[in-house]
Amino acid sequence: MGSVVGRITEETPAYEVLATGDNFEVRRYAAGTAVEASDANNQAFGALAKYIGVMSKPQNARGEAISMTAPVVSIPDKGDAMRMQFVLPSAIKDAPEPTAPGVRVVPRPAQTMVVEHYKGSWDETDAKERALRLADRARAAGHEIPAGLVGVAWEWRRFNPPWTIGFMKTNEVCIPL
């Protein structure tokens, strides 16, 4: 029942709040590891879920089931495509290699990001617009924002399962500093 109303019980990435601003926080995230796939054909979530063993035998070299974490991370890629990542649990120091094509283990280096946390349904266009407005607010507060594929490098993070009531879903847009 908790996941329907937006309660998050999965592990989330560790961070320290360095500063706050106009509806944003500046956060320092610890290094971690993720499993990633291109989402050009809206197939990434399923491929990543199979890697960790959601409702199937895990598709990784050790056949090891891995706990789901939150959030699911989407990162703009070339054109209109996105890359999707599942951040792996912090206890995993040596992630098993994927056995499915197009799925890869990638490092998530320690990084400082400006983050807007918000509630609401998942909408990529809304997330992109939020990221651009966040970049403007962060620049106005004196933060240097690097350029990216849509005018600013950014990530979209979704913390809840699809069956969560729309207005109770937790989301973030994040921009590396």
Side-chain angles (χ1 to χ4, degrees), residues 109-142:
Q111 60 184 333
T112 301
M113 302 185 94
V114 59
V115 179
E116 177 186 338
H117 180 89
Y118 64 99
K119 295 282 192 177
S121 290
W122 299 333
D123 182 287
E124 185 178 336
T125 300
D126 175 64
K128 187 183 300 184
E129 290 169 1
R130 284 177 181 274
L132 293 171
R133 290 191 308 267
L134 173 60
D136 290 341
R137 292 193 316 272
R139 283 185 190 107

Side-chain angles (χ1 to χ4, degrees), residues 4 27-28 36 48 50 52 74 80 82 87 89 95 97 104 108 113 117 125 127 131-132 138 140 158 173 177:
V4 172
R27 298 177 182 172
R28 178 73 179 159
E36 176 181 273
L48 298 176
K50 287 176 183 174
I52 66 172
S74 293
D80 290 332
M82 296 286 263
V87 178
E97 287 300 313
R104 59 201 162 279
R108 286 193 54 91
M113 302 185 94
H117 180 89
T125 300
L132 293 171
R158 293 164 284 176
V173 288
L177 295 177

Side-chain angles (χ1 to χ4, degrees), residues 27-106:
R27 298 177 182 172
R28 178 73 179 159
Y29 285 91
T33 304
V35 61
E36 176 181 273
S38 170
D39 204 21
N41 299 317
N42 292 326
Q43 301 295 313
F45 187 90
L48 298 176
K50 287 176 183 174
Y51 169 85
I52 66 172
V54 173
M55 298 179 29
S56 68
K57 182 180 183 307
Q59 291 185 2
N60 62 61
R62 294 195 293 255
E64 178 181 307
I66 299 171
S67 297
M68 184 71 185
T69 63
V72 171
V73 179
S74 293
I75 303 167
D77 208 351
K78 296 174 180 71
D80 290 332
M82 296 286 263
R83 288 178 288 129
M84 183 176 283
Q85 295 182 346
F86 284 6
V87 178
L88 298 178
S90 59
I92 295 180
K93 303 302 179 203
D94 178 29
E97 287 300 313
T99 56
V103 178
R104 59 201 162 279
V105 173
V106 296

